[in-house]
Amino acid sequence: MSTLECRKTHVIACDLDDTLVATQRHPEHVRKASDAALREIGALVTALRVQSLRTRNGPKLYFGSSTGRTFESIQELAAQRPVFGAIFGIMDFHIASVGTAIYDRNRSGFRQVADWPNVPSWNRTAIVDRLNSYPDLTPQEPAAQG
């Protein structure tokens, strides 16, 4: 890919909880404002994509999330919060489980990127052993272990 081609691609990645989506711990007026902002973000992303298609030289825009949530938890959030569900429908990718899993959209829905992360020098046991010396650290639930 040439440098010029790279300049024609834009990526927007956003955290979910307390950033893109107000959670239950927020007052109702904050959740309503969050829903309004989600609608605006959805309209903006859609408009930018339409503009790019019209000009045929416009930048390609990819929109997704980077979160500590598992992909299943992202799907649950989309089902629980209809406004986020609408945004979920236009998202291209999800970097989930604190980066240990990546999902991208194809024609039939989302699929996990195979072999991510593919790091031959990764020694999980050594890292866990080292981190066990920090009593305040706790691992995420088993579903998030990648």
Side-chain angles (χ1 to χ4, degrees):
M1 180 183 306
S2 73
T3 303
L4 182 59
E5 289 171 322
C6 289
R7 290 183 184 152
K8 292 183 178 183
T9 301
H10 298 280
V11 177
I12 299 173
C14 190
D15 183 34
L16 295 179
D17 297 312
D18 303 326
T19 303
L20 191 62
V21 180
T23 59
Q24 292 293 30
R25 65 176 153 232
H26 291 99
E28 180 64 24
H29 74 279
V30 172
R31 289 195 305 273
K32 286 182 179 179
S34 172
D35 287 352
L38 281 169
R39 287 185 199 93
E40 288 183 34
I41 291 167
L44 177 62
V45 168
T46 301
L48 289 170
R49 287 178 173 165
V50 167
Q51 179 183 4
S52 177
L53 289 173
R54 282 188 189 145
T55 63
R56 296 183 190 213
N57 283 333
K60 175 71 175 160
L61 175 64
Y62 295 97
F63 174 52
S65 71
S66 179
T67 180
R69 284 178 175 257
T70 63
F71 185 70
E72 292 76 18
S73 178
I74 298 168
Q75 291 175 307
E76 288 172 12
L77 178 63
Q80 293 167 355
R81 297 284 302 276
V83 177
F84 175 69
I87 292 292
F88 181 79
I90 66 168
M91 294 176 114
D92 301 298
F93 65 89
H94 295 281
I95 302 168
S97 301
V98 195
T100 63
I102 298 178
Y103 294 81
D104 67 349
R105 183 184 297 280
N106 61 24
R107 292 182 183 177
S108 60
F110 282 99
R111 67 177 172 88
Q112 187 169 1
V113 174
D115 297 327
W116 173 263
N118 185 7
V119 182
S121 63
W122 179 259
N123 183 339
R124 186 179 191 285
T125 302
I127 292 169
V128 169
D129 289 346
R130 172 81 47 97
L131 293 176
N132 280 336
S133 65
Y134 296 93
D136 293 338
L137 294 179
T138 57
Q140 289 191 314
E141 69 276 2
Q145 298 298 318

